Amino acid sequence: MSTIIKRFGLMLMAALMPLAHADNHGVSVKPVTENIFMLVGKGGNIGVMTGPDGTFAIDDQYAPSTPEILKAIRSVDGDAPTFLINTHFHGDHTGGNENLGEQGALIMAHDKVRERLAEGYQIPTFKMTVAPGSKVSLPVVTFDHELGLHINGDHVRAYHVPNAHTDGDSFIKFMNANVIHTGDIFFNGFYPFIDVRHGGTLKGAIAGVDVILSHVDADTKIIPGHGPLANRADLERYRAMLTTAYERLAALKQSGKTLTQALAAKPLADLDDSWGKAMFNSDVWVGLIYEGLD
C-alpha cells in the first residue's frame, strides 16, 4: 500500500473512531410505517419490523450497543429479534450478531457475508483485524441471488447486488409496505466508504443504486445504510454524485494519471460542500477508491 493511501487511511480512521468506540451507545427510533422502524445509533442504520410472527431486524451495529438496541425495540412493542438479516459483513452492521444469536435470532445473509465472518477479515485502511466469528454469530441461512420471507403480513425480499460497497451486499424490500433498506449501497448525504479490498467498486455502487431505483417509486421510504431516512429524490441525487465522480476519476485514470496526480487535479472539490462534510472529504475518498476504478 502506498504512503499516500496510508496517510488517507489514518485520516479516515480518525474520522470513524467516534463511531466505533464512543462510550454512548444510545439508540433513537424513527417510525417509518406503523410497524417498521429505523434505529439510529453507533453504526449502520437498523431496520426493524414488529408483528405477531416475531421481530425482524436488518443489521445490528456494534456489540456494545445491543442492550440499547433491544431497549429501543421494546419501546415499539417488539422483542429480541426472531429473524435477523445482515446487509453485508462490516462490524458496524454485524457486531451484535453473537449477542442476538445467543438470544435465539435466526441469522440470514448473502453467502459472502458468512464467508467473511467465518474466516475473519482485515481492513488495512482502518488498521482493523476482525477474528473469525463464533458459531452463534454466523448466518444460518445464506443465499446467492435472492431470499424471500413471509412474515408479519408482508412479503420481504432480499436482493444481492454484486461488487458495490463490498462483494456481498444486499438490499431488503418490504413489498407490501413499500419500504427498502439499502445497506451501505446508499450513504444518504455523504461520500460512501467503498471496500475495494473486499470487492467493492464505484462502478458497482452505481449499478447497485440503479437496481434499487428500479424497485422505488415516489412513495417508497428508504432506510439508507447511513444517514437520514430518504426517498427516491435523495437516492437519485446520490446516484448523480457517484456518476459525476466516476466519470471524472475514470477519465483521469484512463489517461494514465497516478493517484498523486489525480489528487493534485482536485477533481471533486466542487462536490465537497454537499458531500464532504460528514465522514471524509473528496481527497480522502479519492485516495480510497482510485486504485479500484476500471
Side-chain angles (χ1 to χ4, degrees):
M1 184 183 293
S2 68
T3 299
I4 195 164
I5 290 291
K6 290 180 180 178
R7 175 163 60 88
F8 288 128
L10 291 172
M11 292 170 65
L12 179 55
M13 183 171 66
L16 293 182
M17 284 290 281
L19 293 178
H21 299 287
D23 292 331
N24 177 12
H25 292 279
V27 175
S28 62
V29 178
K30 311 292 184 184
V32 180
T33 70
E34 183 177 350
N35 71 325
I36 298 175
F37 307 89
M38 181 173 84
L39 274 52
V40 181
K42 301 301 178 183
N45 292 329
I46 296 173
V48 169
M49 170 196 251
T50 61
D53 297 326
T55 297
F56 170 61
I58 304 169
D59 292 339
D60 51 32
Q61 298 181 356
Y62 297 104
S65 294
T66 301
E68 289 298 319
I69 290 168
L70 293 175
K71 181 180 177 181
I73 292 173
R74 292 186 189 105
S75 76
V76 293
D77 297 325
D79 208 337
T82 304
F83 310 97
L84 169 65
I85 193 165
N86 298 141
T87 60
H88 61 291
F89 71 90
H90 288 154
D92 61 325
H93 296 258
T94 64
N97 275 19
E98 184 171 49
N99 295 336
L100 297 181
E102 287 176 344
Q103 297 200 38
L106 175 67
I107 305 176
M108 301 165 280
H110 183 263
D111 296 331
K112 283 288 186 181
V113 176
R114 181 182 169 93
E115 177 184 321
R116 303 284 187 208
L117 294 178
E119 295 178 354
Y121 59 91
Q122 294 182 330
I123 303 182
T125 299
F126 303 155
K127 295 186 179 299
M128 180 186 296
T129 298
V130 177
S134 65
K135 181 178 179 180
V136 74
S137 71
L138 300 178
V140 174
V141 176
T142 62
F143 61 96
D144 187 2
H145 300 295
E146 295 183 20
L147 176 70
L149 297 91
H150 298 267
I151 53 175
N152 296 327
D154 210 324
H155 178 196
V156 182
R157 293 204 70 82
Y159 299 92
H160 170 55
V161 175
N163 301 103
H165 172 63
T166 69
D167 58 5
D169 299 298
S170 300
F171 69 92
I172 318 300
K173 183 173 184 180
F174 298 87
M175 308 296 284
N176 298 346
N178 197 14
V179 173
I180 288 178
H181 190 305
T182 67
D184 281 2
I185 303 166
F186 179 26
F187 283 61
N188 187 16
F190 46 102
Y191 298 125
F193 171 54
I194 294 176
D195 191 346
V196 174
R197 179 184 176 91
H198 295 104
T201 66
L202 179 53
K203 189 174 183 179
I206 295 168
V209 170
D210 284 340
V211 174
I212 296 173
L213 281 169
S214 73
H215 289 263
V216 171
D217 60 33
D219 297 319
T220 306
K221 295 179 179 180
I222 303 173
I223 301 173
H226 297 268
L229 190 66
N231 56 28
R232 183 181 176 91
D234 296 319
L235 188 57
E236 288 176 335
R237 178 171 169 264
Y238 179 72
R239 186 199 185 280
M241 180 276 292
L242 295 180
T243 302
T244 297
Y246 178 78
E247 290 172 349
R248 294 178 185 178
L249 296 176
L252 288 169
K253 191 166 187 183
Q254 289 164 12
S255 69
K257 295 292 189 294
T258 65
L259 172 58
T260 301
Q261 292 169 330
L263 288 168
K266 299 289 183 182
L268 307 182
D270 59 315
L271 302 180
D272 275 351
D273 281 348
S274 297
W275 300 95
K277 294 183 177 180
M279 198 151 51
F280 39 82
N281 63 29
S282 60
D283 281 350
V284 177
W285 190 47
V286 172
L288 291 171
I289 65 174
Y290 192 72
E291 298 305 320
L293 292 171
D294 56 14

